[in-house]
Structures are given as structure tokens and as C-alpha cells.
Amino acid sequence: MSLIPSFFGSRRSNILDPFSLEIWDPFKDFPFSSESQFAKETSALVDTRVDWKETPEAHVFKADLPGLNKEEVKVEVEDDRVLQISGERKVEKEEKKDAWHRVERSSGKFLRRFRLPENAKMDQIKASMENGVLTVTVPKVEVKKPDVKSIEISS
């Protein structure tokens, strides 16, 4: 019998009972343990995934926001060229007669911020939401190619 709980897949975590199926939480008695209200409120923050790609015409941001509609999401731009995507995923109401076996979907507020480059057209930003994916398109300022004038070489 090991005195150190296994972190590599063993379901036995109670060192006194080798057949225990309880999951060992080393932070159980800490004020901000995994079961605390703080952890539950910030769990959605970690799960909000955003892709940012640059095309020749624009910067395109895509955020996975399953289960949310456009009224629950805010897209804002601050004066110092910062794109901010925020919102809240509400907690499902608990019924007294329901017995929850597992809660894995995150809930709570989320916030992601991105500093936009100098070539962003701040006044032409567009956002759309389809099938739980938010797409924010930030057009780029066209880079004017320098005029090249050929000069004939005389002899």
C-alpha cells in the first residue's frame, strides 16, 4: 500500500482505505478550494477558447460559446485598441427533487481581451454569432504600395 495518493489514474485516494473511490483533493480545506464559490464562478473564464487569425484583408476572431445567444455576449472596443469579448453563462436552476450526478459544464462570467494592431480599422468592426460560435472581423487598413516609376537610362 502506498502512502502517497496516485495522480496517474488510480481511483484509490484514501491512504487508509485502499478500496476507497473518493477523489483526493489536496486543497479541500483551503478557502479557494476546487469546491469553493470562487472556483465555480471563474470556471467559465478558463474554458472560453478564442482563435485569432490574420488574413490579407482582416483580423478574424472566433470564440466558442456553446449554449449562449447573442444577447448574452458583449463585444466592445476600448480607446486604446483593445477588443473585449465578455458575457455570462447562467447556472441551470436546481430543483429540490433533482439529484445531480455530475456537473461538468462551466457557468459564470467570462472575459477575453486582445490588443489590436495599428493596422486595424477600428470604425469598421463587425460581429456575428452562429451555432454557438462568435466571429469578430476587424478589417485592416490597406497598405498602399509605393508608386514605382521607371526611369529611362540615357546613354
Side-chain angles (χ1 to χ4, degrees), residues 10-49:
S10 172
R11 294 181 61 163
R12 292 184 291 150
S13 60
N14 186 335
I15 61 174
L16 301 176
D17 180 6
F19 301 107
S20 172
L21 295 178
E22 294 178 18
I23 297 175
W24 180 63
D25 183 2
F27 304 107
K28 185 174 97 178
D29 297 322
F30 280 42
F32 296 110
S33 72
S34 60
E35 293 297 317
S36 73
Q37 187 63 29
F38 176 79
K40 289 176 184 172
E41 288 175 359
T42 59
S43 62
L45 187 86
V46 177
D47 293 337
T48 305
R49 307 278 188 214

Side-chain angles (χ1 to χ4, degrees), residues 75 77 83 116 120-127 136-139:
V75 178
V77 178
L83 173 69
L116 296 172
K121 289 184 179 179
M122 303 301 290
D123 57 339
Q124 296 181 13
I125 297 174
K126 299 203 182 317
V136 180
T137 305
V138 183

Side-chain angles (χ1 to χ4, degrees), residues 2-121:
S2 171
L3 293 177
I4 302 172
S6 173
F7 295 101
F8 305 106
S10 172
R11 294 181 61 163
R12 292 184 291 150
S13 60
N14 186 335
I15 61 174
L16 301 176
D17 180 6
F19 301 107
S20 172
L21 295 178
E22 294 178 18
I23 297 175
W24 180 63
D25 183 2
F27 304 107
K28 185 174 97 178
D29 297 322
F30 280 42
F32 296 110
S33 72
S34 60
E35 293 297 317
S36 73
Q37 187 63 29
F38 176 79
K40 289 176 184 172
E41 288 175 359
T42 59
S43 62
L45 187 86
V46 177
D47 293 337
T48 305
R49 307 278 188 214
V50 179
D51 294 339
W52 175 3
K53 73 176 176 179
E54 183 176 354
T55 69
E57 300 81 29
H59 295 276
V60 181
F61 297 83
K62 290 193 178 226
D64 287 340
L65 302 171
L68 294 181
N69 57 43
K70 65 182 186 177
E71 290 78 26
E72 297 170 310
V73 179
K74 281 194 338 188
V75 178
E76 302 170 304
V77 178
E78 297 177 356
D79 292 333
D80 54 350
R81 308 183 79 76
V82 176
L83 173 69
Q84 180 172 295
I85 300 170
S86 61
E88 184 172 6
R89 191 173 285 128
K90 303 281 188 204
V91 179
E92 192 171 326
K93 293 180 181 177
E94 285 189 37
E95 300 279 335
K96 295 288 183 199
K97 61 186 177 208
D98 294 341
W100 290 86
H101 294 282
R102 187 178 238 27
V103 177
E104 293 182 345
R105 296 184 306 146
S106 59
S107 60
K109 295 180 181 181
F110 62 90
L111 171 74
R112 296 296 307 270
R113 298 174 63 146
F114 303 93
R115 180 164 305 280
L116 296 172
E118 293 294 323
N119 67 352
K121 289 184 179 179

